Structure formats: structure tokens, C-alpha cells
Amino acid sequence: MKESRKERNNRMVLIFLCISVTVFAFLYVKNDKVIDSKDTYTPLYLVLEQGTSINENPKVALYKETNQEHVLAIYEVDVSNGHKFTALQAVTLKGIPEKLTNDESKRGIWVYMSNDWIYLDESLEAAEKDEASKIKDPLFRDELTRVKVEELHRQGVQEPIAIHSLAADQSLWLVVQKSGSFSIVENLQD
């Protein structure tokens, strides 16, 4: 059976549309900010910049799962407005990071995923950087002593597992709880 000219033109249009949709989908996925890793979820917190005075807001990186997406975001903590978190940058990760740490330049973040450290600049874009600039232990993380745990319990914070100083004078703290949630605590006595 011979194909008519109209049928052939319809077939060619359909082939062209399929190819166009495929190319568009490939370009869309390629431009999406996605970084690869494994599949177990634990929220991660990293203080990027402490506030040095009562009016200076600290910056915090926070990784969490939101609507089944893995999101790493940089927030500014507004100390004058009830410790409100304001997102400055965010990126969707294709997978789950295991660790976060600071860069010695204090501009980017090192993310440990898929058995490898990846450097993300201040815009949370993957960039090439010498791993020697990675700080071994996160900055502003403090020892969680028995005295601090007792004081946190008195302030209503249950099961703290980590504590990070948000202010240079140590008047403001980010406390991570076993559940993965966090609390902001002022004037923690030691």
C-alpha cells in the first residue's frame, strides 16, 4: 500500500515534534542544578558566618528534605525579628550529602556526597577548587558539654546532639536535636 503525500507529511511532522520534545526535555534537565549522591536522609547544619554584633545577622547553610527533594540552602538569621530565617540561595541536590564543612575563604561550602567532596561557591554552583582549602572540622561548632546539655534541658530543648555558635560573643546558639530539628537559644550558660 502506497503512502499518500498527506500521510507522509503527517508522519514527518510527528517525527519532528517527537525529536523537538526530546531535545527540549534534555536541555531542560541539563540546565537544572542537580548534584548526585546516595539515599539516606539526615538534616545537616553549617554556620557560614557568625554575627559579630547585636545588629549583624549570621548566615547558615541547611540541608533538608522538602517535598521529597533534597535541598541545600543558605539562610540569613534575622536576630532582630525573632530569629526569622530568610533564604539567600538554594539548590536541589540529586541525592543526599553526608557532611558539610566550610571553605577557608568563607565564601563556599564543601559537600561530601558519593564518597567525594564537592565544592559549591557562594551561589551554590559546583566549581573546581583545590581540596586543600576545605576545613577539616566545621567552623563555629562547639563541644556539647554535660553542663550545656543540662542548661538546654532547662530551656526546653530535648535531645541536643550538636551546638553551633551564631554570634562571636557566644550569645546566640543553633542547637540541633536528635529528631533533626533545631532550636535557636540565647545566652547559653557554660
Side-chain angles (χ1 to χ4, degrees):
M1 178 167 23
K2 283 207 160 199
E3 183 178 50
S4 71
R5 174 173 270 186
K6 184 178 180 181
E7 290 173 328
R8 193 181 108 211
N9 287 342
N10 285 342
R11 183 173 48 88
M12 295 307 266
V13 167
L14 284 174
I15 290 171
F16 176 76
L17 284 174
C18 289
I19 290 172
S20 298
V21 168
T22 303
V23 169
F24 177 77
F26 177 74
L27 291 174
Y28 178 76
V29 169
K30 184 178 178 185
N31 289 333
D32 199 12
K33 290 182 180 179
V34 175
I35 300 169
D36 203 10
S37 186
K38 295 190 168 72
D39 290 352
T40 56
Y41 169 66
T42 303
L44 298 173
Y45 304 89
L46 180 68
V47 177
L48 301 173
E49 194 175 296
Q50 287 181 315
T52 55
S53 70
I54 193 72
N55 299 324
E56 191 172 339
N57 297 328
K59 290 184 183 172
V60 176
L62 168 61
Y63 158 72
K64 64 181 179 176
E65 184 176 17
T66 305
N67 298 328
Q68 298 181 347
E69 289 188 333
H70 304 288
V71 178
L72 176 64
I74 296 175
Y75 294 93
E76 184 174 69
V77 182
D78 189 348
V79 294
S80 64
N81 188 10
H83 308 124
K84 180 181 172 189
F85 278 56
T86 304
L88 302 175
Q89 298 285 340
V91 64
T92 301
L93 305 173
K94 184 182 176 187
I96 303 165
E98 298 171 39
K99 299 176 194 173
L100 300 176
T101 195
N102 304 84
D103 184 65
E104 67 184 12
S105 70
K106 297 183 183 176
R107 293 184 184 262
I109 302 170
W110 285 93
V111 180
Y112 186 73
M113 294 182 358
S114 301
N115 298 321
D116 194 22
W117 284 100
I118 299 167
Y119 176 72
L120 302 178
D121 63 17
E122 59 267 1
S123 300
L124 296 179
E125 296 280 341
E128 290 294 320
K129 190 152 187 185
D130 184 11
E131 206 171 308
S133 70
K134 175 179 59 72
I135 294 178
K136 182 179 177 184
D137 295 315
L139 297 174
F140 316 120
R141 186 172 181 153
D142 204 344
E143 183 181 352
L144 191 58
T145 64
R146 185 180 54 79
V147 174
K148 285 182 183 168
V149 170
E150 290 171 2
E151 176 65 23
L152 288 168
H153 285 165
R154 278 193 288 279
Q155 293 190 28
V157 178
Q158 300 302 314
E159 298 182 316
I161 59 170
I163 188 165
H164 306 269
S165 175
L166 292 174
D169 65 0
Q170 306 214 343
S171 61
L172 192 63
W173 298 86
L174 174 79
V175 181
V176 181
Q177 295 167 279
K178 189 175 183 179
S179 65
S181 62
F182 68 92
S183 300
I184 303 289
V185 176
E186 294 180 1
N187 302 317
L188 183 62
Q189 305 298 317
D190 192 17

